[in-house]
Amino acid sequence: MVNISDLSNDLLVKIMLLIPTKVAVSTSLLSKRWGSVWKLIPKLDYDDTYNASASEFIGNLYTHETLVVLRLMKVTVDDVPSTTCFRSLKTLSLLDVFFTSDKTVERLLCCCPILETLVVDRWGGNNVKTFVICVPSLQSLKIRYRVGGYHDPKNDHGFVINAPSLKYLDTVDHFSGFYSLVNMPEQLDAEIHVRHCDSETLLGCLTSSKKLSLCLKPQMGSYPEGDFDQLVSLDLCVMCSLDWLNLMLSRSPKLRALRLYQSRERGGSCRNSRNVRTKWEQPSSVPECLLVSLKTVEWILYKGTQEEKDVVKYLLENGNFIKTMSIGFSSVSTLEERNKIQLEFESMPRSSRRCQLSFT
């Protein structure tokens, strides 16, 4: 019979990948050979939900230079040695990880020279006020910062993001008071759902985006500088951000696809709808994108309010190259209401002869 310790490192790593991380790490106690084998595992998923301290695991961890994927959950990180270097790490998930200071976050991310994907999921407040993400190699960033119920903003809590290689940004934040986006690249795809942050300043950092999905605090009177001259696809939450529509249309000369939705379809309610939104008003001049580029319009969970009808009518009357206008009715709409709305739309004048209406 072959002793398990006689197996090759490759086989032992495959075995460790089939068992929980805590068990794999505990094999380091067996012998010096096992102590080095677990460090060859390219992917670690560590959940410390039921353990008061993970200091022993974290101290092994800082010497793991071949790690490619790391997922930490409910772990406390209180110090990062200066010798730490995750030289192979490409994917990092920090799920409800408690950092003892702002500097601890910065130090950990500085140890990841080729990091490409980062997931940050925070719940409520902790010792970190300014969560700095300065990662030149980062390509995908997903942030979730949530609290239960409705809370006033923590104006001294927020994120500073410096990621010049970023291609995709997805953030849902109900807590932060500020976002600072530095060196944002061209043609960024971004999904922004924030409750308290300065919408104008945030949008001003995203003018080079190619695709945007926005659920923002309503306008407060000022406007972001610059045009969205790379933007080709725009999603807007109609519960809070419909009053951004005119601005975004007027500043997006290459826009081809417009999608209007209610954020409840994404598994939650719009957190900004508590704010008073001004009534949509027809712009004084027709935006360039309606005259030359906009081709598809989709409205998800359409209710049939007068404001919604006014928007649809305006788009049909002025969209010279719209090919499809898709209307998805709200579940509260009756069959009679849907038929009435459909007849109204079909009788509306259309600037584009090729425009086809569809209803679901």
Side-chain angles (χ1 to χ4, degrees):
M1 180 178 293
V2 179
N3 191 308
I4 191 171
S5 295
D6 295 329
L7 299 177
S8 67
N9 283 350
D10 288 344
L11 285 175
L12 291 176
V13 168
K14 289 180 180 180
I15 293 173
M16 288 189 177
L17 286 172
L18 299 175
I19 60 179
T21 297
K22 288 185 180 182
V23 177
V25 174
S26 67
T27 62
S28 63
L29 302 176
L30 299 177
S31 67
K32 290 184 178 180
R33 197 240 171 143
W34 283 93
S36 61
V37 169
W38 85 266
K39 296 179 183 178
L40 299 176
I41 300 176
K43 178 179 180 180
L44 289 178
D45 187 338
Y46 191 87
D47 184 347
D48 196 46
T49 304
Y50 304 108
N51 189 5
S53 174
S55 58
E56 182 178 350
F57 166 74
I58 294 297
N60 287 334
L61 184 60
Y62 290 142
T63 62
H64 199 322
E65 296 187 357
T66 61
L67 194 62
V68 178
V69 179
L70 175 61
R71 179 180 179 271
L72 298 176
M73 183 174 182
K74 296 187 180 299
V75 171
T76 296
V77 179
D78 57 7
D79 184 32
V80 180
S82 59
T83 56
T84 303
C85 182
F86 296 112
R87 64 179 71 253
S88 303
L89 193 66
K90 291 188 176 182
T91 300
L92 175 63
S93 297
L94 303 172
L95 311 180
D96 203 10
V97 172
F98 184 87
F99 293 95
T100 55
S101 69
D102 294 8
K103 291 295 183 181
T104 307
V105 176
E106 294 184 56
R107 178 60 196 155
L108 178 63
L109 295 180
C110 283
C111 297
C112 309
I114 65 169
L115 189 67
E116 296 178 354
T117 300
L118 175 63
V119 177
V120 178
D121 197 332
R122 307 175 70 190
W123 185 262
N126 56 34
N127 286 354
V128 176
K129 292 185 176 181
T130 302
F131 200 108
V132 177
I133 300 172
C134 183
V135 185
S137 58
L138 195 64
Q139 298 182 23
S140 176
L141 174 60
K142 181 178 180 180
I143 295 173
R144 296 291 183 269
Y145 197 14
R146 295 164 289 194
V147 290
Y150 190 90
H151 289 257
D152 292 330
K154 288 289 185 179
N155 293 322
D156 58 345
H157 284 66
F159 289 83
V160 173
I161 301 170
N162 186 344
S165 300
L166 199 64
K167 296 179 180 178
Y168 178 66
L169 171 63
D170 177 6
T171 178
V172 176
D173 194 329
H174 302 159
F175 198 72
S176 294
F178 68 89
Y179 267 77
S180 177
L181 307 182
V182 184
N183 293 327
M184 286 294 101
E186 292 186 359
Q187 299 190 349
L188 174 71
D189 292 356
E191 297 189 41
I192 309 294
H193 295 237
V194 295
R195 184 190 297 182
H196 299 299
C197 294
D198 184 334
S199 301
E200 290 82 358
T201 300
L202 186 57
L203 275 179
C205 298
L206 297 170
T207 53
S208 61
S209 298
K210 188 175 182 179
K211 296 181 180 179
L212 283 177
S213 177
L214 302 175
C215 180
L216 300 171
K217 186 171 66 174
Q219 297 180 45
M220 302 304 290
S222 59
Y223 301 94
E225 297 182 0
D227 290 337
F228 296 82
D229 52 12
Q230 301 294 322
L231 192 66
V232 296
S233 177
L234 173 65
D235 292 8
L236 279 180
C237 170
V238 298
M239 295 183 71
C240 69
S241 300
L242 192 57
D243 60 342
W244 285 105
L245 178 61
N246 289 353
L247 174 69
M248 295 304 297
L249 290 179
S250 66
R251 301 280 187 89
S252 309
K254 298 179 182 178
L255 189 68
R256 296 201 299 263
L258 174 64
R259 183 173 180 265
L260 303 171
Y261 70 95
Q262 292 190 26
S263 62
R264 285 197 177 96
E265 65 155 332
R266 299 192 173 192
S269 61
C270 171
R271 299 294 184 174
N272 299 318
S273 58
R274 289 172 175 266
N275 298 287
V276 177
R277 177 167 58 80
T278 58
K279 185 178 180 181
W280 181 83
E281 295 182 0
Q282 180 173 311
S284 57
S285 60
V286 180
E288 182 179 352
C289 65
L290 286 180
L291 298 176
V292 299
S293 64
L294 189 64
K295 294 183 178 180
T296 63
V297 178
E298 182 181 10
W299 199 307
I300 304 297
L301 299 183
Y302 181 87
K303 292 183 177 180
T305 65
Q306 186 59 51
E307 187 176 35
E308 291 175 335
K309 292 178 184 178
D310 291 342
V311 173
V312 171
K313 181 180 179 181
Y314 176 78
L315 294 175
L316 288 175
E317 289 180 345
N318 295 280
N320 288 348
F321 292 93
I322 295 179
K323 291 183 178 180
T324 59
M325 169 78 77
S326 302
I327 304 295
F329 291 106
S330 168
S331 59
V332 299
S333 301
T334 65
L335 180 59
E336 182 180 355
E337 290 172 334
R338 297 183 184 191
N339 290 336
K340 181 180 178 180
I341 292 172
Q342 184 170 340
L343 290 174
E344 288 179 341
F345 282 2
E346 291 176 346
S347 65
M348 290 180 181
R350 306 175 206 176
S351 178
S352 173
R353 295 181 179 179
R354 295 180 296 175
C355 181
Q356 299 294 318
L357 298 175
S358 66
F359 302 90
T360 57

